[in-house]
Amino acid sequence: AQSVTQLDSHVSVSEGTPVLLRCNYSSSYSPSLFWYVQHPNKGLQLLLKYTSAATLVKGINGFEAEFKKSETSFHLTKPSAHMSDAAEYFCVVSDLNTGNQFYFGTGTSLTVIP
Amino acid sequence: DAGVIQSPRHEVTEMGQEVTLRCKPISGHDYLFWYRQTMMRGLELLIYFNNNVPIDDSGMPEDRFSAKMPNASFSTLKIQPSEPRDSAVYFCASSPRGFDQPQHFGDGTRLSIL
């Protein structure tokens, strides 16, 4: 069975410091992995996606994520947090070999302290 | 590209009334998804369509909920009769091909049932 675990429900960082949001998944095959961001009163917006090309994926707004198959992880990072990064972040996995479904993590709320 | 458009953005109505939520997906996208988001349960997939045909409605909570997609540019989610526990934010999302592609979300309809 597929699952996605976002290891931290809340993360606080100071403005200008690095951001690390952790995501682990279970998948029996080659998954597609996504990170989305949700700002208050908005829908989810795609930050980046991994679909079996390069393992280091660059996204919008300076975010990137590294696919590590041996660790079944897809952590999201950013070198320097900005106040506008404060939002909810969702890790999502799908695996076409085990059925058509998106599996959502429970989300990580990022707070950026000025 | 106008993105996924949902209406209304906010709906407040009394218990027992019929509620209709509307969604216009991105042109050319073959898949359309309806989600519900609450603090308690997070994001839940209610139903999805492929080429206007409902494929999986196993997430629809009960018979009070129904969804239609009469054409490629319009979908509705209807609740009749509505109950206070239906209060949530309802999102529509569309995707070009399927589950290896990212979803594009609308900004949601915030529904309050009194």
Side-chain angles (χ1 to χ4, degrees):
Chain A
Q2 306 294 327
S3 70
V4 180
T5 302
Q6 292 186 240
L7 296 153
D8 307 292
S9 57
H10 300 279
V11 170
S12 290
V13 300
S14 296
E15 189 177 16
T17 65
V19 176
L20 170 64
L21 305 182
R22 299 182 293 167
C23 174
N24 284 96
Y25 67 92
S26 68
S27 173
S28 60
Y29 227 70
S30 297
S32 296
L33 295 157
F34 311 87
W35 274 101
Y36 290 85
V37 61
Q38 185 180 25
H39 291 277
N41 300 314
K42 290 288 191 179
L44 279 67
Q45 178 187 11
L46 180 71
L47 279 176
L48 49 81
K49 64 176 181 178
Y50 167 80
T51 52
S52 76
T55 56
L56 183 62
V57 182
K58 293 189 183 298
I60 63 171
N61 301 336
F63 285 94
E64 61 182 38
E66 186 172 6
F67 173 67
K68 291 187 176 180
K69 189 171 183 176
S70 61
E71 299 176 9
T72 61
S73 69
F74 190 57
H75 300 336
L76 182 71
T77 60
K78 182 173 181 177
S80 175
H82 194 272
M83 294 300 294
S84 60
D85 295 328
E88 189 85 12
Y89 291 79
F90 292 92
C91 181
V92 180
V93 64
S94 69
D95 186 338
L96 299 183
N97 294 286
T98 57
N100 287 336
Q101 191 165 350
F102 287 111
Y103 296 88
F104 284 77
T106 52
T108 298
S109 177
L110 176 65
T111 298
V112 182
I113 303 165
Chain B
D1 194 335
V4 175
I5 299 172
Q6 291 187 246
S7 64
R9 287 298 315 277
H10 303 273
E11 175 91 16
V12 180
T13 192
E14 292 189 346
M15 183 175 66
Q17 296 297 306
E18 178 179 290
V19 173
T20 300
L21 311 181
R22 297 172 175 82
C23 175
K24 177 179 169 57
I26 293 173
S27 176
H29 282 194
D30 291 340
Y31 284 77
L32 184 139
F33 306 82
W34 281 101
Y35 289 90
R36 178 171 67 177
Q37 186 177 39
T38 62
M39 291 291 292
M40 291 293 293
R41 292 188 297 270
L43 265 169
E44 302 172 277
L45 176 65
L46 301 177
I47 186 172
Y48 78 90
F49 296 81
N50 180 18
N51 292 322
N52 313 338
V53 176
I55 302 300
D56 184 356
D57 65 353
S58 60
M60 296 285 261
E62 47 198 276
D63 292 345
R64 297 184 297 106
F65 285 68
S66 63
K68 294 182 179 179
M69 193 165 185
N71 57 62
S73 59
F74 184 65
S75 177
T76 59
L77 178 68
K78 189 171 293 187
I79 308 172
Q80 166 63 19
S82 58
E83 296 182 4
R85 61 192 167 120
D86 302 329
S87 299
V89 181
Y90 290 80
F91 288 102
C92 176
S94 68
S95 175
R97 279 204 322 268
F99 289 81
D100 61 341
Q101 296 293 308
Q103 299 170 89
H104 299 253
F105 284 78
D107 282 337
T109 295
R110 183 172 297 276
L111 178 62
S112 297
I113 308 298
L114 307 177

